[in-house]
Amino acid sequence: MSCKLVTRGLLLSAALLPMSMASATDLNVPLPYTTIQAAINAAASGDTVQIQPGTYNENITIGGKNITIKAFNTSFPPVIDGQQKGPVVTFSGAESNKCSLRNLTLQNGKGANGGGIKGNGTLATLKNVTIGANDATGSGGGIHGFSGLIQNCTITLNEAVNGGGIAECDGVIENSIITINKASATGGGFYNCEAVVQFCEITKNEAATRGGGVHQDKGIHIGNLISGNTVTATGPTNSPAAFGGGLNDMQGTVSLCLIAENGSAGDGGGVANSTGVFHNNIIQENGARRGAGMSNCTGKVENNTIYGNVASHNGGGCHNMGNEVTNTLIFGNSAAANQQWEGANVPHYSFVQNWIGSEPDIITGDPMVVDAARGRFQLLPQSPCIDAGKFVPHVTVDNEGDARPHDGTPEPRGDGSNFDIGADEYVPDNLDLASTFLDVTTKYKGKPGKMKGQIKGKFLVVANGTDSAEVPFGVQLFLSDDNMLDPTDQPVGKFVTVKKLKSGKSKKVKVSVKLPLNTTATGKFVLGWADTSNTIAEGDEYNNLAVAGPLP
């Protein structure tokens, strides 16, 4: 009797459970559902459509359902091929972030706006999805109108008139690759978006006229690599048809980005025509006819490093900028005229190489960075850029995450706020390699015509500070005519790798160099360089070079 009562009570309780607590269902494709769309049609919110490996020629519609559509086996993502009959995936726009697509490839779709995905403002989620080789006759070859999260995705080889990769999207786009997309007009990678785009690679995209990488963006870009993008349209030098190889018409905030090796057939190899805020970026080795680094930017440009950009005509570093360039390091750029800076306005509290004006807050000379040729723009302890900047309230860290400001020198500089110039704030590292020779001797033997010579000795490397060198670094010897290491000095002896060096410890490296037959090292200097590739971040890079000589 009691058993029957318990059973009846359980059945009654189950009937009273709210619908939201009902168990979700897995719907498998191609068995029992022969198509993805059939499984979607049968699904209810909370269900999962699981797709076996293979290629499915479909154009699917989500229809506002908060379901998950994913690969059955993440190692073998299924391919959904739109056959150029419409967008591969169409959202209604009513989906929440509980709707997601995961571990899929969407290809060969076509639409007026949105060839791969037509979002209609959906809040759905994309994770580990590849959107490739889709077309739009309007905007968004890969994705259009998406307002949810795009994470760990690849958007590639898509084409459109505007926004070859992504158009008119907001939400969050992170840890994704947007590459080799093409726009016949503007925005090779991005067009008219208002998203938070962070830690993404925006590379090798192309547009005809504006924004090879990004055009007309009102969002926030943080920590992105923006490289190898181009705008190709030609026109007269004074009336160009192409603007912004990397970025054009940025109206939001661009921070902690590397903007490098982009190209414009007109103005602004790196950045052009922007009113937004740029801070803590490195703008490096871009090319254009005018303003290879930045051109016609009137917004706040603060604590950036602009280096190695090349203009075939004017303004290698900057061209025709606004009046709000502050704390910016501009050097090593080249052009036919005005290599570093061109325009009526002047920067403030900045370093400009070879500056000839009389502005007291602009410094020139040698900025003293670790190794600009290798992209290491950290300031050395002797740099005149330390504490020489102006207070900028919203720039509280540098491009490595170090806090700004940091009082790096007792000298009064800048406006007294201790802000440094450039993307790096000088904060002494807790590790410093120092090198010295313990002894160096020469030895010769043999008869005239057959004389052999050898240099022998010991080279010492010490790890000062509280941190250890946890990664391998190299030691190389050079034979020089003077006590300075320069590119003409040839390495001698074996390259030695030091695997690691604990704090406070030292490493002896044996010196043994055989000289060419019948030659001597008399009058020469032996130079020893620790950490030849600058792999270790240090407080002082100059004491890595030890000198012995001149030899007897």
Side-chain angles (χ1 to χ4, degrees):
M1 182 70 179
S2 59
C3 181
K4 290 182 180 180
L5 287 174
V6 171
T7 303
R8 182 181 176 186
L10 289 173
L11 290 172
L12 181 60
S13 298
L16 294 175
L17 282 173
M19 291 297 293
S20 60
M21 295 181 64
S23 60
T25 301
D26 290 341
L27 299 91
N28 296 312
V29 180
L31 289 174
Y33 295 93
T34 57
T35 67
I36 301 169
Q37 189 64 58
I40 293 171
N41 293 343
S45 291
D47 289 349
T48 298
V49 175
Q50 295 188 136
I51 310 172
Q52 293 285 350
T55 298
Y56 299 82
N57 296 324
E58 297 189 51
N59 304 88
I60 65 174
T61 300
I62 308 303
K65 294 183 177 182
N66 291 324
I67 59 176
T68 298
I69 304 172
K70 68 175 187 177
F72 182 83
N73 185 339
T74 58
S75 298
F76 300 96
V79 176
I80 308 176
D81 191 303
Q83 311 162 84
Q84 292 282 297
K85 293 181 179 180
V88 181
V89 179
T90 299
F91 292 89
S92 74
E95 300 86 2
S96 74
N97 60 1
K98 294 181 180 179
C99 175
S100 67
L101 273 62
R102 301 169 183 260
N103 299 102
L104 305 172
T105 295
L106 313 179
Q107 68 180 32
N108 201 24
K110 187 171 185 177
N113 294 310
I117 293 177
K118 184 175 182 179
N120 288 315
T122 184
L123 297 175
T125 298
L126 304 178
K127 289 190 177 183
N128 301 305
V129 177
T130 297
I131 300 106
N134 302 285
D135 300 316
T137 56
S139 300
I143 305 174
H144 181 273
F146 200 90
S147 299
L149 171 65
I150 299 174
Q151 186 181 75
N152 298 325
C153 292
T154 299
I155 297 98
T156 184
L157 297 170
N158 303 286
E159 296 188 14
V161 176
N162 299 301
I166 299 173
E168 300 184 26
C169 293
D170 46 32
V172 176
I173 304 170
E174 63 184 17
N175 298 312
S176 293
I177 298 171
I178 300 92
T179 185
I180 322 177
N181 301 287
K182 185 175 182 180
S184 60
T186 65
F190 286 80
Y191 167 74
N192 197 24
C193 291
E194 199 169 350
V196 176
V197 183
Q198 55 191 10
F199 313 116
C200 291
E201 295 180 16
I202 305 169
T203 63
K204 300 180 182 178
N205 302 287
E206 178 185 318
T209 59
R210 286 168 170 77
V214 182
H215 171 63
Q216 199 171 314
D217 195 293
K218 306 174 187 68
I220 298 173
H221 284 247
I222 303 172
N224 298 319
L225 170 64
I226 303 164
S227 178
N229 305 286
T230 56
V231 281
T232 59
T234 58
T237 300
N238 293 326
S239 183
F243 300 91
L247 307 168
N248 186 74
D249 192 13
M250 301 298 293
Q251 301 169 34
T253 299
V254 181
S255 179
L256 306 174
C257 292
L258 173 59
I259 305 168
E261 299 180 1
N262 303 284
S264 170
D267 286 5
V271 186
N273 301 326
S274 294
T275 58
V277 177
F278 286 76
H279 54 74
N280 287 333
N281 302 290
I282 294 173
I283 303 170
Q284 175 186 2
E285 297 176 1
N286 303 282
R289 284 195 294 188
R290 301 187 306 184
M294 301 186 79
S295 178
N296 295 295
C297 296
T298 58
K300 295 180 183 295
V301 178
E302 302 156 329
N303 283 105
N304 299 282
T305 295
I306 302 174
Y307 168 83
N309 302 282
V310 180
S312 59
H313 286 73
N314 304 329
C318 296
H319 162 74
N320 198 27
M321 300 291 284
N323 199 35
E324 295 192 84
V325 178
T326 307
N327 294 356
T328 291
L329 174 53
I330 306 168
F331 74 112
N333 305 285
S334 62
N338 302 315
Q339 293 187 341
Q340 311 306 325
W341 182 273
E342 179 182 60
N345 293 318
V346 298
H348 305 283
Y349 292 94
S350 293
F351 179 100
V352 185
Q353 188 177 27
N354 301 325
W355 185 259
I356 58 174
S358 59
E359 288 74 17
D361 59 350
I362 298 178
I363 57 177
T364 187
D366 181 355
M368 294 187 182
V369 301
V370 170
D371 192 342
R374 291 180 172 87
R376 299 193 65 194
F377 299 105
Q378 297 91 345
L379 301 178
L380 292 169
Q382 303 89 344
S383 173
C385 298
I386 296 173
D387 294 350
K390 178 184 179 181
F391 178 66
V392 181
H394 51 272
V395 181
T396 58
V397 296
D398 72 355
N399 69 333
E400 294 182 331
D402 293 326
R404 290 189 192 270
H406 176 82
D407 187 359
T409 176
E411 300 177 20
R413 296 177 180 175
D415 69 349
S417 65
N418 294 321
F419 266 69
D420 293 352
I421 293 172
D424 174 66
E425 184 81 6
Y426 172 72
V427 178
D429 289 290
N430 293 321
L431 170 63
D432 182 49
L433 299 177
S435 306
T436 187
F437 281 107
L438 296 178
D439 62 82
V440 175
T441 60
T442 55
K443 182 179 180 181
Y444 302 99
K445 65 179 180 179
K447 298 179 180 180
K450 295 184 179 180
M451 186 183 66
K452 296 180 180 180
Q454 188 175 26
I455 302 171
K456 299 186 71 174
K458 293 184 179 67
F459 178 81
L460 185 72
V461 186
V462 180
N464 296 317
T466 58
D467 292 342
S468 300
E470 299 290 350
V471 296
F473 62 89
V475 173
Q476 180 66 61
L477 302 183
F478 298 82
L479 199 60
S480 177
D481 292 327
D482 55 31
N483 62 355
M484 301 292 292
L485 182 62
D486 60 60
T488 64
D489 293 330
Q490 297 296 316
V492 294
K494 294 182 179 180
F495 180 88
V496 178
T497 299
V498 179
K499 293 183 178 180
K500 60 173 60 178
L501 194 59
K502 291 184 177 181
S503 171
K505 299 296 183 180
S506 61
K507 173 71 175 180
K508 291 181 182 178
V509 178
K510 290 184 178 180
V511 175
S512 181
V513 178
K514 292 183 179 180
L515 299 172
L517 191 65
N518 296 321
T519 61
T520 72
T522 300
K524 299 282 188 180
F525 291 82
V526 180
L527 309 180
W529 184 13
D531 192 20
T532 54
S533 298
N534 287 318
T535 57
I536 307 295
E538 303 177 54
D540 185 357
E541 298 280 351
Y542 284 138
N543 61 0
N544 288 10
L545 185 69
V547 180
L551 298 177

